[in-house]
Amino acid sequence: MTPPQDEPVEVLKEEERQLFEPITVDHALQGELEETDDRFISSTIVDEVSVLPDPSEGESKPAPGVNPYLATARQLILEREWEKASPFIQMSLNYNSDDGIAWLYKGIIALFLNQPDESEQSLNRAKSYEKSRILANYYLAFLWYRNRSYEKSLQFLTDVLNENPANTRSRFLAGLCKVHLQQYNDAFDDLDILVHENPDHIRALLLMAFCRIKTRRHSDAISLIDKLLELREDHIPAWEMKSRALLSEGRYSEALSSAKRLLKITPHNHMGLYIRTMGYIKSGRFEEALQSAHEMTSIEPLQSTGWSLMGIAYMGLDKYQDALKRFDRSLLLNPHNDDVSAYRVKTLRKLKRYGDLLQYYEHVTEENPDDLRAWYNKGVLFHRAGRYEDALACYDRIIEKTPNDFRTLLNKGRAHKALHQNADAIRSFQQVIAVHSDSADAWYHLGQIYTVLVRLREALTSFDQALYIRPDYVKALVWKAHVMDELGMKQEAFQTMSRARKLDPSMTGKIKSRLIHD
């Protein structure tokens, strides 16, 4: 009896292929959500933290008849007439250079005229006066927030909140800073205090929902957004976030309904179109997804997202050539999108365009020599092409960095075996077993080599180990039967082959042997 040779790599059964196929991102046509961005966060602060606070928050109105310039400046600041207010501030300081409120107003004006150095200088001067200290600290915090120095902003806000924990504007800005610092749980706690005091605080509710989405607590986020939408039904960012959260929760029908509601309010909303298309993809409704993606590209032809989603929809329809064209278009617009590159690789594999794949990984390894995944994929493609020496060079690059990567070691052993470099092959398979003792494939390949070298007892032990790990390993059963037959164990060989035949009746057509009876 002659056992079958190893099948070509591309037709291996799924359980065997798991250890050999390239490690690529395979989203199984599910797509990945665009990362929830913070573009709406900036819009939440304009009215919330940048308006001059009321006198009740610490500022004292100038007494009638005292420094009239300051009263005029204050009114102009409240009306955001920064440049008109500036001369009155200077006249006020000429009138009284030790007026903390005047220095505070001077710092605020410079802040909104984008003069950060002058603003910081004036606000620090205002800090030295008791009546303007708290507000100066607040606007210094706002200044550093605008400069994206969130840690420094929090230092000033801490000073304010230590003196006045009820300062809602500072509490909100502190939460906002923590959101930017990705301290989502701490931010949520700060914002929750505001909502406890004011349940209708729309911006706080929005940011709290954002924090819950970022910490993967989508159900909590939806509850918060629902409260917000009760207060303001047409709130676009809320509908965007609700649609995202529902999609992440796997509630695809509701996500589609939410996206359609968003598109009713604002028909060309990018997020609404995106969620609608993704909802169709997630639901397996690829024709509708394709139509929705076409609408995205007609509205925003220079945005890559619509093209990539169109490619995914085509993949779902098994139209891989069409999918490839859309992924290429997407990458032309956004060359550094790793997810789209992964989909493109998957499409090339479906089309069996291994030459293009190899060219792609050649480029990746040139651009990033430390990309071990690319070296692995490149090695696999060389392996498939029968270029075993080139494959070994790729595998060795990986093993230099990760000596115990058992998948690479397994492939390395297979390449050595194909080159009849038996000693190196045995060494590689033994290394696999040392780090991954339940690798049935390593034991199987060892058994093959020992059989070829007529080390039959060692071969039998190896096949037994493979079958102990994976009892339905048909090829190991066939090879074991062959070894038993060679050792004169005729009855045991026949029983083993019968077991293999029951597991895979097609073995009868592959093997000609006296051990098989029709």
Side-chain angles (χ1 to χ4, degrees), residues 58-60 98-105 122-139:
E59 179 194 348
S60 298
D98 283 329
D99 191 326
I101 297 298
W103 285 109
L104 173 69
Y105 287 178
S122 298
L123 291 171
N124 278 324
R125 178 75 179 264
K127 271 182 65 177
S128 62
Y129 300 95
E130 182 62 29
K131 62 181 178 179
S132 55
R133 180 168 49 81
I134 291 178
L135 290 178
N137 272 325
Y138 170 78
Y139 277 99

Side-chain angles (χ1 to χ4, degrees), residues 232-244:
R232 186 174 158 191
E233 185 181 341
D234 63 347
H235 198 285
I236 293 171
W239 282 112
E240 291 181 356
M241 290 175 63
K242 181 172 183 176
S243 302
R244 283 179 180 273

Side-chain angles (χ1 to χ4, degrees), residues 88-195:
F88 288 97
I89 292 297
Q90 192 56 53
M91 287 187 285
S92 176
L93 288 171
N94 291 339
Y95 182 85
N96 179 7
S97 63
D98 283 329
D99 191 326
I101 297 298
W103 285 109
L104 173 69
Y105 287 178
K106 185 177 176 67
I108 292 172
I109 291 169
L111 172 62
F112 288 102
L113 289 176
N114 294 315
Q115 299 166 354
D117 292 338
E118 184 176 344
S119 176
E120 183 182 12
Q121 185 178 3
S122 298
L123 291 171
N124 278 324
R125 178 75 179 264
K127 271 182 65 177
S128 62
Y129 300 95
E130 182 62 29
K131 62 181 178 179
S132 55
R133 180 168 49 81
I134 291 178
L135 290 178
N137 272 325
Y138 170 78
Y139 277 99
L140 281 165
F142 186 43
L143 170 67
W144 290 111
Y145 173 86
R146 287 182 56 151
N147 289 336
R148 300 181 184 273
S149 298
Y150 306 119
E151 291 280 6
K152 196 161 185 176
S153 178
L154 280 172
Q155 293 174 10
F156 289 103
L157 292 169
T158 300
D159 290 342
V160 175
L161 291 170
N162 283 341
E163 289 196 47
N164 183 9
N167 189 308
T168 58
R169 191 174 273 102
S170 294
R171 181 77 64 185
F172 181 85
L173 184 56
L176 200 54
C177 287
K178 290 173 184 177
V179 168
H180 283 291
L181 291 168
Q182 300 181 10
Q183 298 171 4
Y184 299 118
N185 289 325
D186 289 342
F188 184 91
D189 291 341
D190 271 326
L191 297 164
D192 192 37
I193 293 172
L194 297 184
V195 171

Side-chain angles (χ1 to χ4, degrees), residues 63 75 124 142 183 201 286 309 331 347 355 390 393 425 445 488 514:
Q75 184 59 41
N124 278 324
F142 186 43
Q183 298 171 4
H201 199 305
F286 298 115
L309 291 179
L331 289 168
T347 304
D390 290 328
H445 290 298
R514 62 182 178 275

Side-chain angles (χ1 to χ4, degrees), residues 382-441:
F382 280 136
H383 201 131
R384 277 181 165 153
R387 296 169 58 179
Y388 301 117
E389 294 287 359
D390 290 328
L392 284 168
C394 294
Y395 298 148
D396 284 337
R397 287 292 295 261
I398 299 167
I399 291 169
E400 284 176 11
K401 300 286 186 181
T402 55
N404 294 331
D405 187 314
F406 77 91
R407 291 177 177 85
T408 304
L409 289 168
L410 182 66
N411 282 358
K412 184 179 179 182
R414 294 185 64 164
H416 282 306
K417 189 176 78 165
L419 292 167
H420 302 288
Q421 298 170 351
N422 293 320
D424 290 328
I426 290 171
R427 191 177 302 112
S428 292
F429 293 134
Q430 288 175 339
Q431 283 181 273
V432 174
I433 292 165
V435 298
H436 191 65
S437 59
D438 60 348
S439 174
D441 294 287

Side-chain angles (χ1 to χ4, degrees), residues 446-456 459 463 479 482-483:
L446 269 180
Q448 283 187 312
I449 295 172
Y450 289 144
T451 302
V452 171
L453 298 176
V454 196
R455 293 162 60 175
L456 301 181
F463 292 130
W479 277 81
H482 169 69
V483 172

Side-chain angles (χ1 to χ4, degrees), residues 58-75:
E59 179 194 348
S60 298
K61 285 185 178 180
V66 178
N67 198 344
Y69 308 116
L70 195 59
T72 303
R74 182 182 188 280
Q75 184 59 41

